[in-house]
Amino acid sequence: MESSQSSHPSVLGRAVPRRAVLAAAPGLALAAALAPAARRARADGGFPFVAADPPAPAPETPFMGADGAPVKLADFRGRLVLANFWATWCAPCVRELPSIARLRRAVPDPGFEALLVSIDRKGAAAYLPFLEKHGIEGLALAGDPRGALLRAFRLPGVPATVLVRPDGKVAGRLLGPAEWDTPEALALVRRLLPRDG
C-alpha cells in the first residue's frame, strides 16, 4: 500500500517528504533569483547594495516632513537621496544611524541628501527626541507612520535603504543594516552624485 505522504529522494540519508520539498521551493527560487545580485554586490567590494535593473521611477507616495507637512521624493529632484527607513524600536536601525550621519559629513555635497524616514506610529513626536538624545544630527528627517512609502517601495521591513538618483529613478536598495561610511559605501554614493553640465 502506498503512503499518502510520498517521499522525495533522500537528503543526507533521510527521506524528505514531498510536501517539505514543495514548501521550500519558493524560498529556494527567491534565493536563486537574488544570487546574481549578491555576487555583483560582493564583486563591488562586498557592500550588499543591489542595483535596480532597470532603474524605475521612485513612488510618488506622500510622507510627512518633520514639521508635519506632506513631502514627496519628487521634492528632492536634482539630488541623490539616500532614504533610510527605520524605527526607534528597531535595534539594528539604531546601530546604523551614526554611520549614516558620518556618511553625510563625509559627503557634504549639496547634490546629496541623507533622509531618515521613521515608520514610528507617533511620527515626529517619537523620532525627534530620540534622535536628539542619541546625538544624530545633520540629516533630513521625515515620517511614514502608516508605512505607505515603505510599502510603495515593496520593502519587507526595517532597516532598509533606497538610493534615488537625481533624475527621480531608483538606483537600488539595501535590505538590513549597513555601515554607510565604509569606503565601498562612500564610493557608491559619490558615483551616483549629480554631475554638472
Side-chain angles (χ1 to χ4, degrees):
M1 198 164 140
E2 195 173 281
S3 167
S4 62
Q5 208 182 51
S6 60
S7 294
H8 199 274
S10 69
V11 174
L12 298 177
R14 303 180 105 182
V16 179
R18 187 175 310 274
R19 208 176 325 189
V21 172
L22 293 174
L28 293 172
L30 178 60
L34 294 176
R39 280 193 298 274
R40 280 194 309 274
R42 284 192 295 275
D44 288 343
F47 196 67
F49 177 80
V50 179
D53 188 20
E60 287 293 319
T61 307
F63 50 106
M64 295 174 61
D67 60 359
V71 181
K72 289 186 176 184
L73 286 168
D75 298 336
F76 296 91
R77 184 69 52 98
R79 289 176 275 174
L80 172 66
V81 177
L82 180 146
N84 176 264
F85 291 85
W86 71 290
T88 58
W89 45 261
C90 166
C93 301
V94 174
R95 283 193 301 273
E96 179 181 45
L97 295 177
S99 74
I100 297 171
R102 289 189 300 268
L103 167 69
R104 185 64 184 110
R105 286 192 300 274
V107 184
D109 192 298
F112 174 57
E113 195 70 69
L115 173 66
L116 298 182
V117 183
S118 167
I119 63 164
D120 286 286
R121 292 190 187 270
K122 291 184 179 178
Y127 68 80
L128 288 176
F130 183 88
L131 292 171
E132 183 177 346
K133 175 183 172 187
H134 287 85
I136 305 296
E137 53 189 31
L139 305 171
L141 306 175
D144 185 27
R146 294 177 186 224
L149 186 60
L150 185 81
R151 284 191 308 278
F153 272 117
R154 296 183 179 165
L155 298 172
V158 295
T161 305
V162 177
L163 280 169
V164 180
R165 300 182 333 191
D167 64 1
K169 291 186 178 178
V170 176
R173 67 187 191 166
L174 189 152
L175 302 179
E179 288 297 322
W180 283 100
D181 58 341
T182 62
E184 296 84 8
L186 287 164
L188 170 68
V189 168
R190 287 182 176 130
R191 188 175 73 239
L192 294 171
L193 285 172
R195 304 284 175 236
D196 292 332

